Amino acid sequence: MHQNRTNSYGSQAQYMLPRRPKQPDFGPGKFVWGDFAAVALYALIFVVGGAALLLLVPGFREMFPSDNLAIFGVNLVVYAFMFTIAMLLARHDLWSSFKTFQWNPWAKVMLIPGGWFASLMLTATIISTLGEPVKSENQLAIEGLTTEVPFLTMFVVTAIMGPLVEEFIFRHLLIGKLSRYINKWVCALISIALFAGMHFIGSGTFEWVSVIPYLTLGTVITLAYILSGKSLAYSYVLHFFNNAVALIISYTVLPLMAS
């Protein structure tokens, strides 16, 4: 009788599946002085409007044939500068957090286009319920530049450098590091609100309908960041995908629709 129980337990143990390891938290640790300096620079450049000082540099404005191109030139310099700072401060966290794809890799890969599509559909549903679609000044400016700026140059600024800078500030710092002191979901709400509001700074106009795409996108990316174990790499890839698709559409589909 005792022998039978032993065999029974042994048989059960033989067929027990090994427990899958839990996804780690890629939390970036505590704030360092470089993080505070980066946030201060970001606020100075984008909130206070320090980037406009480049237009006062002798010869800078004359390098561009139009005001729109001059503004784009300012953004190119600023984002290149902030991109370099973000890479210097967060490069180790960025590379190590790519390991998030080792856990449920297919689900995470499919959720990149899936998250983008869900954000798009949610935005369309809310806007159609509230009223007429309204594009932000930021989006209109990008669409206007498609006839003046080469695709590759715009791609580098809008799809590669811009998303990393924004993910570094709004997810890596405002959630990843700030959540060591404040509840992560409170940090998430702060991040989403500031991320959406940042796209309207200096535009001179604000429509509630036009802020919805940034709120939905910020929500999707924030959830992806938290659920992937605070992976800066995952939120960056998702943000990159969103901007790349929007840019490709702006350069290919929109001109055909306008003709």
Side-chain angles (χ1 to χ4, degrees):
M1 186 70 178
H2 176 72
Q3 183 66 32
N4 290 340
R5 285 200 300 270
T6 302
N7 291 339
S8 176
Y9 296 154
S11 176
Q12 291 178 9
Q14 182 180 357
Y15 292 102
M16 286 180 63
L17 295 175
R19 181 175 296 179
R20 298 182 65 178
K22 184 179 179 182
Q23 173 183 260
D25 189 324
F26 300 97
K30 298 180 180 180
F31 281 99
V32 297
W33 284 110
D35 297 329
F36 290 110
V39 172
L41 275 172
Y42 189 87
L44 176 65
I45 291 171
F46 290 100
V47 179
V48 181
L53 293 176
L54 282 173
L55 296 173
L56 302 179
V57 175
F60 184 88
R61 173 62 183 84
E62 288 70 22
M63 294 170 59
F64 305 94
S66 69
D67 290 338
N68 282 339
L69 282 177
I71 294 174
F72 177 78
V74 170
N75 287 330
L76 173 60
V77 173
V78 166
Y79 272 111
F81 179 66
M82 290 300 303
F83 179 84
T84 302
I85 291 177
M87 285 297 293
L88 288 173
L89 292 173
R91 64 189 184 279
H92 295 303
D93 293 316
L94 176 65
W95 304 135
S96 64
S97 64
F98 270 106
K99 293 179 182 177
T100 189
F101 287 99
Q102 295 178 4
W103 287 266
N104 303 311
W106 285 109
K108 285 178 179 173
V109 169
M110 295 305 296
L111 278 173
I112 292 172
W116 166 79
F117 186 73
S119 172
L120 196 66
M121 290 298 97
L122 181 60
T123 297
T125 301
I126 296 174
I127 287 179
S128 64
T129 302
L130 295 180
E132 293 294 325
V134 176
K135 293 182 179 180
S136 68
E137 292 292 328
N138 180 69
Q139 181 62 32
L140 291 173
I142 292 175
E143 292 179 6
L145 286 170
T146 57
T147 59
E148 300 183 77
V149 179
F151 172 79
L152 185 59
T153 305
M154 183 70 85
F155 188 87
V156 169
V157 175
T158 306
I160 296 178
M161 294 194 297
L164 181 64
V165 172
E166 292 175 7
E167 291 311 305
F168 170 70
I169 296 292
F170 294 103
R171 253 64 67 175
H172 184 72
L173 297 184
L174 286 184
I175 300 178
K177 293 199 173 187
L178 189 60
S179 63
R180 293 177 63 91
Y181 313 99
I182 303 175
N183 179 275
K184 67 181 178 182
W185 297 111
V186 174
C187 294
L189 292 176
I190 295 172
S191 171
I192 293 169
L194 292 180
F195 173 77
M198 180 271 297
H199 291 87
F200 293 87
I201 292 174
S203 65
T205 61
F206 180 84
E207 295 284 346
W208 279 110
V209 177
S210 62
V211 80
I212 291 172
Y214 299 105
L215 286 175
T216 56
L217 177 63
T219 300
V220 168
I221 296 177
T222 294
L223 288 174
Y225 175 77
I226 293 175
L227 297 178
S228 63
K230 298 191 180 88
S231 171
L232 174 60
Y234 194 74
S235 65
Y236 174 50
V237 170
L238 180 55
H239 200 158
F240 164 85
F241 184 87
N242 174 82
N243 287 21
V245 171
L247 203 59
I248 291 171
I249 292 174
S250 296
Y251 272 85
T252 57
V253 178
L254 292 184
L256 295 176
M257 296 175 61
S259 62

